[in-house]
Amino acid sequence: MKKLFRSGAWFYLPALLLVAFFVAYPFFNAVCISFVRWNGYSASRTFIGLGNYLTMLGDRVFRSTFFNTLVYGFGSTALDVALGLALAVFLDAKFPGRNLTRTVIYLPVLISGLVMGYIMYFMFQYSHGALNDILLLFGLEAVDWLADRQKAVAVITLVNSWQFVGNTMIIFLAGLQSIPRSCYEAAELDGAVGWQRFRNITLPLLLPATSSAVILNLIGGLKLYEIIVALTGGGPAKGSHSLSTFIADEYFSSEKAGYAAALGVFSFVFIMVVANLVNGYFRRKEREQG
């Protein structure tokens, strides 16, 4: 015990208690609830074993929701990483107004996802939406962006990408500024310029930044919630739900707490597995490169 106190390991105790109380206990409780049929508030619970998980496999709405979640996760990540890298390369150069441009691009990150969703709702709504007003101004027909499932999913993905592209840009800017100038000077001596220098010097040395950007965006996209609630509420006909919004809908609207808990357990395990697989892939690439 004295050795433990001398090493300072006991300083970890508050953090461990917080993790146990806010992560481990709720997850264990959700696992227990996922094995019962329960409406979320009554005293009676019926044990049904794996019934909720079997229901999940045959649920058409779950399959659609799971596909949407993959689009939100991987689609937003691809857009954010591509656009964030392009912006970082552009804003790494020196020109008048560079700092102001960086600030403007980063500002949406500071806004709540719910607020951003409501702002974008007034942009994409059918009646008097800003985008449709512009289309009408040019003599084109208004489009009901949020009434069609495919359009709604695309709009949500774009809004989520646009809000957090500033975060990705900052990550890549930090990576670019950590690359030694000597690497570029050596490349120039070898005759590498433009695209060759970017492909052979910049991209490989940005691997740690790319890893961070991909994992953060992927996790954020796979658990997307606020923007969907504000823009579509999961509609039309539950067609734009993510796993997170579907869980809330099943618990509070349908009063299926057991099924919602099973969905939550699946979502947690799925995101954890995907994040670890992606992280492991980037770690292997870094070791191969190093």
Side-chain angles (χ1 to χ4, degrees), residues 37-53:
R37 182 183 293 114
W38 183 43
N39 59 16
Y41 57 86
S42 68
S44 62
R45 303 183 185 187
T46 305
F47 180 78
I48 58 172
L50 296 175
N52 286 319
Y53 294 95

Side-chain angles (χ1 to χ4, degrees), residues 2-179:
K2 288 182 179 179
K3 187 177 180 181
L4 180 66
F5 275 88
R6 285 196 193 118
S7 67
W10 62 279
F11 282 110
Y12 293 111
L13 186 60
L16 290 174
L17 290 174
L18 287 172
V19 170
F21 187 75
F22 289 106
V23 178
Y25 171 72
F27 179 72
F28 176 75
N29 195 40
V31 171
C32 294
I33 294 174
S34 71
F35 295 121
V36 302
R37 182 183 293 114
W38 183 43
N39 59 16
Y41 57 86
S42 68
S44 62
R45 303 183 185 187
T46 305
F47 180 78
I48 58 172
L50 296 175
N52 286 319
Y53 294 95
L54 296 175
T55 300
M56 190 191 309
L57 295 176
D59 188 350
R60 181 189 60 80
V61 178
F62 166 75
R63 292 195 295 271
S64 171
T65 297
F66 182 61
F67 177 78
N68 292 344
T69 302
L70 295 177
V71 174
Y72 297 144
F74 290 94
S76 294
T77 299
L79 289 172
D80 265 335
V81 170
L83 188 55
L85 178 58
L87 288 169
V89 171
F90 172 67
L91 293 171
D92 191 42
K94 293 181 180 180
F95 61 88
R98 180 182 66 169
N99 291 336
L100 177 62
T101 307
R102 290 178 178 178
T103 303
V104 170
I105 293 172
Y106 187 76
L107 277 177
V109 178
L110 305 178
I111 302 174
S112 160
L114 198 62
V115 173
M116 179 59 68
Y118 285 125
I119 292 172
M120 289 296 106
Y121 176 78
F122 291 111
M123 177 73 71
F124 288 101
Q125 68 177 339
Y126 180 74
S127 180
H128 303 296
L131 194 55
N132 278 338
D133 283 349
I134 294 171
L135 292 176
L136 292 172
L137 187 65
F138 286 96
L140 301 173
E141 290 187 4
V143 177
D144 202 344
W145 301 98
L146 304 177
D148 175 75
R149 175 188 170 274
Q150 292 181 337
K151 288 189 182 74
V153 170
V155 166
I156 291 168
T157 304
L158 288 172
V159 171
N160 183 56
S161 301
W162 176 75
Q163 181 177 10
F164 293 103
V165 72
N167 204 39
T168 308
M169 176 194 71
I170 293 297
I171 293 172
F172 280 122
L173 272 174
L176 286 169
Q177 291 170 6
S178 68
I179 298 175

